[in-house]
Amino acid sequence: MAENLYRHPEPVPPASQLAVLPFLAAVDGYLREAGNVPGLRITMHRAVSREGDGYLQQVCAYLQESGGNAFGTVGRFFPVNDRIMGAAYGSGKIWRTHHYDSVETLHADLRKTEKGNLSKTPVSYLAIPFLGPQDQVVLILYADCNQLNFFANDERVARLVAMSKGLCRLFDWLQKEPFPALRNFPLQKGEPITGETGLYDIHEPLSKPAAPKFAEVFSFNYEAAVA
């Protein structure tokens, strides 16, 4: 079923997409502050339930150099243990590609699990989970790029976490004082569906900084509401 859901994405409410896109645009702007980052893509996933099964679902288009790409991306479902996102989901920790001295060394590790031409495979990955009040994963910020060691920079990751904590404070406030025509409708918790992890042997979890955490938000599902 997970494969079918991956190929046949389901709609994400426009309000949910718009709720995260300005934040992702700010993240994109920060990451490109010193210049272009080749192949940089940024998106957000959320924990969802479908027919009692739990998945990760891509909330919005990838933000990339062209501004965005909505085709074949929004609404895709992934098993909860899928690659670096799944590692972040299962551990509640931030995961990233660790430091490498060269792309050749990284590719040597990638070939242990990834076959074929690696020239188009990103060389830097990052997954930041957003935890709920009970430490459940609500959202996951995902990014990758073609610049070696881009996310192995501790200061860069720390600043992204600080930005993410600001987003948590915003949505905690909106949870208590929502806009009249906008609500975060609760999502039911599903039994997590797993698949082949596909986790590359190039990543590491971070003990610090801790993942950003909501105080009020248990799930993420913004939709227009009757005023």
Side-chain angles (χ1 to χ4, degrees):
M1 178 179 288
E3 178 67 18
N4 291 334
L5 290 172
Y6 178 88
R7 295 181 179 277
H8 301 285
E10 294 187 355
V12 176
S16 292
Q17 298 185 51
L18 287 171
V20 298
L21 280 169
F23 170 73
L24 296 181
V27 169
D28 180 86
Y30 161 64
L31 293 178
R32 297 184 192 274
E33 181 181 14
N36 183 45
V37 182
L40 178 64
R41 302 186 306 167
I42 310 167
T43 191
M44 193 79 81
H45 295 82
R46 64 176 180 171
V48 298
S49 174
R50 185 184 187 278
E51 298 179 354
D53 294 331
Y55 297 93
L56 297 175
Q57 185 186 31
Q58 187 166 344
V59 177
C60 62
Y62 285 106
L63 281 191
Q64 48 194 28
E65 188 174 9
S66 61
N69 176 13
F71 298 104
T73 56
V74 179
R76 291 188 299 171
F77 286 78
F78 300 86
V80 298
N81 64 335
D82 188 74
R83 293 169 293 178
I84 195 172
M85 295 183 303
Y89 178 91
S91 66
K93 294 182 177 182
I94 298 165
W95 279 70
R96 69 178 179 187
T97 306
H98 62 73
H99 183 275
Y100 276 91
D101 292 332
S102 68
V103 172
E104 290 74 21
T105 307
L106 182 147
H107 280 175
D109 280 348
L110 270 177
R111 288 192 181 94
K112 297 174 184 177
T113 52
E114 183 77 358
K115 307 301 180 182
N117 186 0
L118 298 178
S119 62
K120 295 184 179 180
T121 301
V123 297
S124 294
Y125 297 80
L126 177 70
I128 299 178
F130 289 66
L131 307 181
Q134 298 175 350
D135 290 332
Q136 76 278 25
V137 173
V138 176
L139 293 169
I140 298 176
L141 171 65
Y142 171 86
D144 63 33
C145 71
N146 297 324
Q147 183 170 318
L148 186 67
N149 297 324
F150 188 70
F151 296 116
N153 182 303
D154 290 339
E155 181 179 357
R156 180 171 290 131
V157 173
R159 288 187 176 183
L160 289 177
V161 172
M163 294 172 68
S164 299
K165 289 180 178 178
L167 187 70
C168 289
R169 289 190 291 271
L170 170 64
F171 284 120
D172 282 338
W173 169 64
L174 289 176
Q175 195 76 4
K176 293 185 289 186
E177 300 183 37
F179 289 113
L182 189 66
R183 292 289 189 278
N184 183 19
F185 291 96
L187 294 171
Q188 298 299 314
K189 183 178 180 180
E191 185 67 26
I193 297 300
T194 59
E196 295 184 8
T197 64
L199 179 63
Y200 301 144
D201 188 26
I202 61 173
H203 305 313
E204 63 181 1
L206 300 183
S207 56
K208 293 182 180 180
K213 186 173 182 178
F214 295 108
E216 305 287 340
V217 177
F218 288 83
S219 60
F220 193 86
N221 187 40
Y222 274 89
E223 293 191 57
V226 178

